[in-house]
Amino acid sequence: AGAPAGLAARAAARLGAGAAGRLREDPWRLLSVPGVQPAQADHFARALLGADARPDDPRRGRALVLHLLTDAARRGHTVTPLDDVVKALERARVADARGAVEAALDEGEVVALTEEPEFDEESFDEDAEPSEPEETLGPARWALAEEAAAEGFQRLTLTAVPLLDDAAVKELRAGLPEDRSLALTAALRTGVSVLRGAPDALAELAGGIAAAAASRGLRAAVTAPTERAAADLAAALPGDGPAPEVTSLHRLLEPQDGADAAPGAVVYGRGEQRPFELDLLVVTDAAALDVELCAVLVEACPDGAHLVLCAEPGSPPPAGPGRPLDDLEASETVPVVVLDAEPPSGPVAVLTEAVRGGELTAVDAPGREVVIVPAADPAEAVHRAVQLVTDSIPRALGIAVEDVQVVAAAAGGEAGAAALNAALKARLNPGPGAFGGMDPGDRVVVAAPLPRAAVGETGVVVGGGPHGLDVEFPGGAVTIAPADAARLRHGWAVPVALARGTRRPAVVAVLVPEGLSRPLVATAFGLAGRHLSVVQAAGPALARAVRESGARERRTRLARLVMR
């Protein structure tokens, strides 16, 4: 049909072994392939159907409904108002927009939902006409996951009993500051609790709570977003007494190789039918949980287990749809403990705390712990970042290239992760991209979950061939099947959304005006352990983002569902 050859593999991966037949029957199914836009699907349909490819084709309208909702999900929304969908369909020249919605509902990939208006006691007027419920639509995959997550939180809250008696809790609390004492008490006495605090304090407390539980014979575990982050957590645990399990959440859920999963997802061995054998689970960087992974997590927690969700204040939302942790906190159905702020230690922590509080301030860094590198435009920003990684940081600070992580606000753009990776590969590991764009020696990052590696995990390519791509990850060597190789990206530079939760000795944050927000900047800066270089190509937009901007709002239902 004249489509780019690279689209064939993506279409086969998304539509399965019968992709060709399904596309012949309905060429607009191409819209379900990530990255395909309506104009491209229309062009494809005209190539197959000729004059029979019409804007009012019912197949086109049905596919556009799911495309619109999936596009909204990529921006974080789990639901979209029905009226917004209808108007978008009309702009796309769909003659019977509501008929297209009905057809999409009949397919089962879209669900219709009714949102009752929120009750506002202060503005309530008993003589006014009651507000009409809002009709919304959502992709079934994420709308149903949101309902499963809400039911899981309710179940854990209702089935929880204190894990230890009052005397044991009092003994464990002895000598702790009040905020730590409250956090420990909430973890041991309630089914679900939320902890907020600075990264170092949270990591220490997460390990401390799990270790305290293990010391009293409880089955306890603490998880991190990646194996690399889990290794750091394990190293910081006290060396005496019984130790809790420390692992990545991905590994704890036991991903299954070869299992059929929804596109971009993984099937896990742990779940409602085979829950964790745990009394207490502490999850670090829980703000990174999208609604689908959150549903998997809570369903895997057995009745009576206690779940502790940790996150920094003002954390950015997850890369996937939803905002489960923020919604859970907004529901006011679980205890939330905010740790007392402590004086930050070191220039990187001082700067990060200032940004988190809305200020972009100069810091005293006598050991060059923080360096600001101005850049006039994106091209210069890329050049400066490459110079820092390959020369300045290793030479001046003795930090090896493999311990330096470049982060960007987004994947695309002139100074986004893709552009930075192209420049870094040309300098660090030039090659033809012999194995699906990768060469041995390339650093890669998992951009969508794999059965044997979590999102955000970085590794190094060690080989490849018709069997797939061989990658050495922190948890061991993995062979990525050819069909799954598209879930990897080059990983010298990564978007902040993929880097979050895993600190590195040195971080180079490349900032341009687009995509900035206070949560994103604070997260980027907080990833640095010893050294932070800020390539400042954003001009005044950086200070403005830190001062004014939060993350974009997301349309979600979890808070209301939990309160039912």
Side-chain angles (χ1 to χ4, degrees):
L7 186 59
R10 288 160 51 201
R14 178 53 60 105
L15 297 173
R22 298 181 73 187
L23 288 173
R24 287 191 191 97
E25 293 173 4
D26 181 356
W28 285 283
R29 284 189 182 273
L30 194 67
L31 274 174
S32 65
V33 178
V36 174
Q37 297 302 311
Q40 295 167 312
D42 288 341
H43 178 83
F44 178 73
R46 287 193 295 271
L48 288 187
L49 304 177
D52 291 334
R54 302 184 311 275
D56 60 350
D57 191 304
R59 295 172 295 182
R60 179 176 183 265
R62 182 179 61 205
L64 280 171
V65 173
L66 182 59
H67 171 77
L68 290 167
L69 296 175
T70 302
D71 191 54
R74 291 192 185 101
R75 299 193 302 275
H77 306 301
T78 58
V79 292
T80 300
L82 172 61
D83 288 345
D84 289 359
V85 176
V86 169
K87 290 175 183 175
L89 291 171
E90 291 171 347
R91 289 194 297 270
R93 299 186 298 159
V94 174
D96 183 6
R98 292 192 177 268
V101 170
E102 291 299 324
L105 292 171
D106 289 343
E107 283 284 295
E109 293 182 306
V110 174
V111 295
L113 306 156
T114 301
E115 298 296 320
E116 295 292 337
E118 291 188 14
F119 177 73
D120 187 347
E121 189 174 354
E122 294 183 1
S123 60
F124 176 69
D125 181 358
E126 62 182 12
D127 297 324
E129 288 292 326
S131 301
E132 291 293 325
E134 183 182 40
E135 295 180 271
T136 62
L137 300 173
R141 174 177 170 182
W142 292 296
L144 298 179
E146 204 159 30
E147 293 184 1
E151 291 171 3
F153 285 131
Q154 291 172 330
R155 174 178 57 83
L156 292 177
T157 298
L158 292 172
T159 60
V161 296
L163 295 176
L164 296 173
D165 60 33
D166 290 346
V169 173
K170 183 176 180 181
E171 188 175 340
L172 290 172
R173 289 172 49 173
L176 291 177
E178 183 178 5
D179 57 338
R180 269 66 171 174
S181 177
L182 288 172
L184 179 64
T185 302
L188 295 174
R189 288 183 174 168
T190 59
V192 182
S193 57
V194 175
L195 302 185
R196 296 274 191 178
D200 287 341
L202 270 182
E204 180 184 356
L205 184 56
I209 289 173
S215 73
R216 295 306 173 105
L218 296 173
R219 301 168 299 174
V222 56
T223 70
T226 63
E227 295 292 335
R228 189 183 300 273
D232 292 340
L233 269 177
L237 284 178
D240 53 335
E245 181 178 3
V246 181
T247 185
S248 69
L249 178 58
H250 189 73
R251 184 182 292 271
L252 188 70
L253 287 167
E254 298 183 10
Q256 304 296 292
D257 277 316
D260 291 332
V266 166
V267 171
Y268 293 98
R270 293 291 182 173
E272 184 178 2
Q273 302 303 316
R274 187 168 169 265
F276 299 134
E277 296 167 4
L278 291 172
D279 302 305
L280 174 69
L281 175 59
V282 184
V283 179
T284 64
D285 196 26
L289 297 173
D290 66 21
V291 69
E292 196 165 46
L293 185 56
C294 183
V296 172
L297 168 65
V298 295
E299 286 184 337
C301 292
D303 289 355
H306 288 211
L307 178 63
V308 183
L309 301 169
C310 307
E312 301 170 34
S315 294
R323 48 169 197 174
L325 188 67
D326 289 341
D327 282 347
L328 181 64
E329 188 170 339
S331 74
E332 299 183 350
T333 59
V334 302
V336 178
V337 179
V338 179
L339 302 184
D340 295 338
E342 297 180 351
S345 58
V348 174
V350 170
L351 176 60
T352 302
E353 280 301 307
V355 169
R356 195 173 285 119
E359 295 183 19
L360 189 65
T361 183
V363 296
D364 185 25
R368 289 185 285 187
E369 295 88 350
V370 176
V371 174
I372 310 298
V373 182
D377 53 42
E380 185 180 355
V382 172
H383 174 74
R384 296 296 183 201
V386 172
Q387 190 176 47
L388 286 162
V389 172
T390 61
D391 178 48
S392 302
I393 293 175
R395 175 174 47 81
L397 301 174
I399 299 175
V401 171
E402 54 267 27
D403 288 329
V404 182
Q405 181 65 66
V406 181
V407 297
E414 294 179 272
L420 288 160
N421 275 314
L424 287 161
K425 176 172 172 56
R427 183 72 174 272
L428 291 170
N429 195 45
F435 307 113
M438 308 290 182
D439 294 300
D442 281 358
R443 186 193 294 183
V444 293
V445 64
V446 180
L450 290 163
R452 297 179 64 190
V455 169
E457 198 77 75
T458 56
V460 176
V461 175
V462 294
H467 66 285
L469 200 64
D470 301 318
V471 182
E472 187 70 36
F473 286 112
V478 172
T479 296
I480 309 297
D484 292 333
R487 302 190 189 189
L488 296 178
R489 302 286 186 274
H490 281 112
W492 290 286
V494 300
V496 172
L498 293 181
R500 63 186 297 171
T502 305
R503 303 182 76 184
R504 301 299 282 263
V507 165
V508 177
V510 180
L511 304 179
V512 294
E514 295 77 24
L516 295 181
S517 69
R518 183 191 302 174
L520 182 140
V521 175
T523 299
F525 290 1
L527 294 172
R530 289 173 50 196
H531 171 80
L532 171 66
S533 283
V534 181
V535 180
Q536 184 9 350
L542 176 57
R544 186 165 56 249
V546 169
R547 184 174 61 251
E548 301 172 357
S549 302
R552 291 181 179 177
E553 289 295 318
R554 298 185 171 199
R555 293 186 299 268
T556 60
R557 305 167 61 230
L558 184 63
R560 293 183 182 184
L561 291 172
V562 173
M563 289 188 288
R564 285 182 181 175

